[in-house]
Amino acid sequence: QKEVEQDPGPLSVPEGAIVSLNCTYSNSAFQYFMWYRQYSRKGPELLMYTYSSGNKEDGRFTAQVDKSSKYISLFIRDSQPSDSATYLCAMSSNAGKSTFGDGTTLTVKP
Amino acid sequence: GAVVSQHPSRVICKSGTSVKIECRSLDFQATTMFWYRQFPKQSLMLMATSNEGSKATYEQGVEKDKFLINHASLTLSTLTVTSAHPEDSSFYICSAQQEEVAQYFGPGTRLTVL
C-alpha cells in the first residue's frame, strides 16, 4: 500500500464549477501538506502549503487537512480553463523529502 | 520569490556521451536540493537528495555512478548522466528547499538520448 493515495482522475468539469481534489495517507507522522500544480512539460508549481489540520485559503484555492481522518483536499472555486493541469499532493513529516501522490489530471472545459 | 532555474531545458545527445544538468536557486539559499525523474503521464520519481557540501543520498535502485550529483554551493546543484543510453531519456526535474518543508521546482530538462 502506498503511503499517499490520490484520486486518479482524470477529472473533467465545466468552467465555473467547484473542483475537489483529494488525497489520503497512512503515515500519521506527516505534518506538512502541500499541493502542487503541474502543466504539461513543466516543473510543478507550489500552490498551497499547510501545517497540521485546518483550512487555508488563497484566492480561489482552499486547502483542507483532516489529520484525524488522514485526508486532505484542495478545492478550486470558479474553475477556469487555465486551471487545467495535473495536481499533485505531497506531504512530509519533517524538513526532509516529501512523499508525493501520483497526481490528478484536471480539464476545465470552456 | 523562490525561483529555481534549470539548464538546459532540452538536450539531445548521442548514446555513450555524458550530459550535465544544472539546477540553481535564484533568490534563496537552498539547504537541500532534490533530483527527480518523470516519465510521461507518471508522477515524480525521487532519484536523490543532495545537501551542500556532502554526498548525495540516492534512492533505492538509482545508480550513483550513473547519475553523479554535485552540490557545490547553497545555490547550485548539478546532475551528470554519465554514458547516457536511450533508456535514460526522460524529463529530469530538480527542486530546492529552504528551512521549511515545501520544495520549489525548476522547469525541468528534457533529455533525449539517440
Side-chain angles (χ1 to χ4, degrees):
Chain A
Q1 184 186 3
K2 292 182 180 179
E3 276 192 303
V4 177
E5 298 276 2
Q6 184 166 0
D7 287 353
L11 195 58
S12 181
V13 301
E15 184 175 353
I18 297 174
V19 176
S20 172
L21 302 165
N22 308 294
C23 289
T24 58
Y25 62 95
S26 57
N27 188 344
S28 57
F30 287 147
Q31 296 191 71
Y32 302 90
F33 305 92
M34 286 73 68
W35 285 96
Y36 293 87
R37 176 176 64 196
Q38 185 176 23
Y39 292 112
S40 181
R41 301 184 181 184
K42 300 288 185 184
E45 170 194 2
L46 179 65
L47 280 179
M48 302 286 282
Y49 167 42
T50 56
Y51 171 73
S52 198
S53 282
N55 292 359
K56 184 174 183 178
E57 188 174 319
D58 184 1
R60 296 184 295 110
F61 298 90
T62 300
Q64 193 172 79
V65 174
D66 182 350
K67 289 188 70 179
S68 62
S69 302
K70 297 189 177 69
Y71 190 90
I72 71 170
S73 298
L74 177 70
F75 298 98
I76 307 174
R77 290 185 299 281
D78 187 25
S79 56
Q80 302 295 308
S82 58
D83 294 328
S84 299
T86 296
Y87 290 81
L88 300 161
C89 64
M91 32 199 97
S92 176
S93 57
N94 55 33
K97 62 183 181 182
S98 297
T99 302
F100 287 81
D102 287 340
T104 301
T105 298
L106 169 68
T107 301
V108 181
K109 296 184 175 179
Chain B
V3 178
V4 177
S5 71
Q6 259 182 265
H7 179 79
S9 58
R10 178 180 292 187
V11 57
I12 301 172
C13 69
K14 292 182 178 180
S15 185
T17 61
S18 294
V19 174
K20 180 186 280 189
I21 303 170
E22 289 188 350
C23 177
R24 294 182 184 271
S25 56
L26 297 184
D27 52 0
F28 67 101
Q29 293 186 326
T31 52
T32 305
M33 288 185 169
F34 301 88
W35 286 96
Y36 294 85
R37 187 172 177 176
Q38 188 175 38
F39 292 103
K41 298 186 178 181
Q42 294 188 25
S43 190
L44 303 167
M45 185 189 83
L46 180 65
M47 298 175 66
T49 302
S50 77
N51 293 291
E52 184 262 342
S54 61
K55 289 184 178 181
T57 301
Y58 290 82
E59 294 299 301
Q60 192 173 9
V62 178
E63 299 176 58
K64 61 180 181 181
D65 295 329
K66 172 78 172 175
F67 299 100
L68 300 178
I69 291 172
N70 182 277
H71 195 154
S73 73
L74 286 172
T75 59
L76 173 64
S77 177
T78 60
L79 168 68
T80 302
V81 183
T82 62
S83 186
H85 291 283
E87 58 266 29
D88 298 323
S89 299
S90 191
F91 192 50
Y92 292 87
I93 312 174
C94 72
S95 71
Q97 186 181 57
Q98 281 182 297
E99 288 131 8
E100 49 182 48
V101 174
Q103 297 177 32
Y104 299 93
F105 286 85
T109 297
R110 186 160 302 281
L111 171 63
T112 303
V113 185
L114 302 176

